[in-house]
Amino acid sequence: MIADFLEHRFALSERGTTPARETLAGLTTFLAAAYLIVVIPSLLSSGGMDRAAVTAGVILVMAIGSLAMAFYANLPFIVGPGIGGSAILGITLAQIEGVPWQTGLGIAAFSGIAFIILTLTGARGMVVRIIPPQIKLGLGASIGLFIAMLGCRDAGLVSVDVARHALKLGDFGQPGPICALIGLAVAIALQARRVPGAVLAGIVVAALVGVPLGLTRFDGVFSLPQSPAPVTGKVDMLGAISLVALPYMFTFFASEFFSTLGTTLAIGGKAGLTDEDGNLPQIERPFLIDSLAATLGPLVGVPGGTALVESAAGVEAGGRTGMTPMVAALLFAATLLAMPLAMAIPREATAPALILIGIAMMGTIRQAPGEDTISLFAPIAMMLLTLISNSFGTGIAGGLLVHVLVEVLAGRWRQIPVGLFVLSLPLGYYFYTAATLH
């Protein structure tokens, strides 16, 4: 009876798959993405959020979002908070800009609402046309640079030289760098061999190494499910209505929007679900799930959910239907009983995941269109401004302004969409205040 239900609900035979293959794909997807249960709460707790509550919230969003993708869209994609949005909320906004995390959740919620409106009105094409390709690719590369640098600092591989106002190498002989480098080596070795869950394995090994080094302290393995109540419903929507918040609203929105677009088309193509033109039939379904997760996630207390690139691991293992995220969602829900284990993992052990993912995201800059240096000026400027200012909001505001300025100087101002000119006005004011007020 169960087999008949699965066949009828997910059309397994029609897509050339079986319950056993989909179950294996779901397990593989879970292993590939399980590290997020540790990494994301670590980032958000850096901004003052309760780590245990955030961990429960992350698990709930991943479980519910993935189930929605399974039964509504019948596609092999899992849904959950992304690393980029978590770093923006926990580090850039809360730590660097001094924005309360409640307001940061409000900013994320507004971006999710914008995503829903664009999804329901079919206005995605308009946004894609307004934002130049170089900026889209530079966006991922800039977030990647920010995340990789964050991982290096969490590991103690990089520190700040206050006297020289510059970065310097950390002491690699200290417990933190030793723990992180061992975990990084394990993750790289396994990832190069295409072993599912390579990043998670690196975290586990690093955490175990951290025990004799005094970094990891276990207080048990199993417990009753933790409540996300300390962070649930704490969204400050009114505080998020400000000019300073505009670049971050755009950052959250762009991260979710382009992440879902790229994930669904690329992974859908790998699964053989796209048509001859490379389009995914009924793509509005995963977009709707994604936009709802992006809006409801902040209400739970975590950045909005998005279709995760880790879904590729399940597709590689044979996943072709919504049964893959259904199995992964059930496994995510089961981890609510293993919260003490997740809480024991130190930030030095999660640093290798940040470094690897950041470097992978920086690779998008290679796809930037254009044959001359001028075409790459804006995305590279965005990366440099992100690094120099230690703020992704400043980086993207400056990158968009540089793009407009370069195109005008190059005599290509007619190619700039009017909407981008309009957007440049508030972004220009934000960049000015970021550069002059200290």
Side-chain angles (χ1 to χ4, degrees):
M1 181 178 295
I2 295 179
D4 291 339
F5 168 77
L6 294 175
E7 171 61 38
H8 174 73
R9 189 65 189 80
F10 298 113
L12 301 179
S13 299
E14 181 181 329
R15 296 193 184 178
T17 185
T18 64
R21 187 180 300 167
E22 293 291 307
T23 300
L24 176 61
L27 174 60
T28 302
T29 303
F30 168 76
L31 290 174
Y35 72 93
L36 294 173
I37 296 175
V38 178
V39 174
I40 291 177
S42 177
L43 290 171
L44 296 177
S45 63
S46 297
M49 302 182 73
D50 184 287
R51 183 171 177 178
V54 168
T55 301
V58 168
I59 293 172
L60 286 174
V61 169
M62 295 182 81
I64 296 173
S66 297
L67 283 175
M69 185 68 75
F71 287 98
Y72 181 68
N74 192 23
L75 291 170
F77 309 136
I78 58 170
V79 176
I83 293 281
S86 301
I88 294 167
L89 176 55
I91 306 299
T92 301
L93 286 176
Q95 277 196 22
I96 299 173
E97 301 292 344
V99 177
W101 58 264
Q102 295 89 341
T103 304
L105 288 174
I107 295 173
F110 272 121
S111 71
I113 292 172
F115 199 15
I116 289 180
I117 294 173
L118 289 176
T119 300
L120 295 178
T121 59
R124 302 185 203 97
M126 178 188 68
V127 176
V128 172
R129 287 192 297 270
I130 289 178
I131 306 302
Q134 298 95 320
I135 297 299
K136 296 173 191 173
L137 296 171
L139 187 69
S142 297
I143 292 179
L145 178 61
F146 184 84
I147 290 173
M149 183 58 67
L150 177 62
C152 289
R153 281 193 287 186
D154 282 351
L157 299 174
V158 172
S159 61
V160 178
D161 188 332
V162 178
R164 298 182 179 180
H165 301 285
L167 297 174
K168 66 177 182 179
L169 290 176
D171 184 354
F172 285 21
Q174 294 298 311
I178 292 174
C179 174
L181 288 173
I182 291 176
L184 183 61
V186 170
I188 290 174
L190 295 179
Q191 196 172 69
R193 292 167 174 78
R194 298 180 180 273
V195 176
V199 174
L200 178 62
I203 292 176
V204 171
V205 170
L208 293 175
V209 170
V211 174
L213 294 176
L215 297 173
T216 306
R217 297 178 178 84
F218 291 104
D219 294 320
V221 177
F222 299 106
S223 69
L224 293 175
Q226 173 70 37
S227 170
V231 295
T232 299
K234 302 297 193 296
V235 182
D236 179 12
M237 302 293 284
L238 291 178
I241 303 175
S242 69
L243 195 59
V244 173
L246 183 61
Y248 298 106
M249 283 187 195
F250 175 77
T251 298
F252 278 116
F253 167 78
S255 176
E256 295 154 4
F257 184 91
F258 296 116
S259 173
T260 300
L261 182 63
T263 297
T264 52
L265 293 181
I267 299 177
K270 181 181 291 188
L273 301 177
T274 53
D275 58 24
E276 61 275 6
D277 297 321
N279 298 316
L280 185 69
Q282 294 186 315
I283 195 173
E284 67 278 359
R285 293 200 168 203
F287 263 96
L288 182 58
I289 295 299
D290 189 85
S291 61
L292 290 173
T295 305
L296 298 178
L299 300 180
V300 177
V302 298
T306 183
L308 299 173
V309 295
E310 287 78 10
S311 305
V315 169
E316 192 72 31
R320 296 294 181 271
T321 73
M323 185 177 169
T324 293
M326 182 193 75
V327 172
L330 295 177
L331 292 172
F332 282 125
T335 61
L336 283 171
L337 300 175
M339 290 279 288
L341 188 62
M343 295 286 294
I345 299 176
R347 65 177 185 175
E348 291 86 355
T350 62
L354 296 176
I355 295 171
L356 279 176
I357 294 203
I359 291 174
M361 293 178 69
M362 280 190 279
T364 59
I365 199 71
R366 295 179 301 175
Q367 306 169 26
E371 300 178 354
D372 55 12
T373 306
I374 298 301
S375 299
L376 294 174
F377 199 92
I380 291 176
M382 186 186 299
M383 294 178 67
L384 289 174
L385 287 169
T386 298
L387 181 63
I388 294 169
S389 65
N390 196 30
S391 167
F392 184 71
T394 302
I396 190 170
L400 282 166
L401 292 172
V402 167
H403 173 77
V404 172
L405 180 60
V406 167
E407 291 300 299
V408 169
L409 292 175
R412 299 193 290 253
W413 61 271
R414 291 184 181 85
Q415 300 177 19
I416 303 174
V418 175
L420 192 54
F421 273 121
V422 174
L423 185 62
S424 296
L425 297 177
L427 287 180
Y429 176 75
Y430 166 80
F431 188 75
Y432 170 78
T433 58
T436 57
L437 300 179
H438 302 285

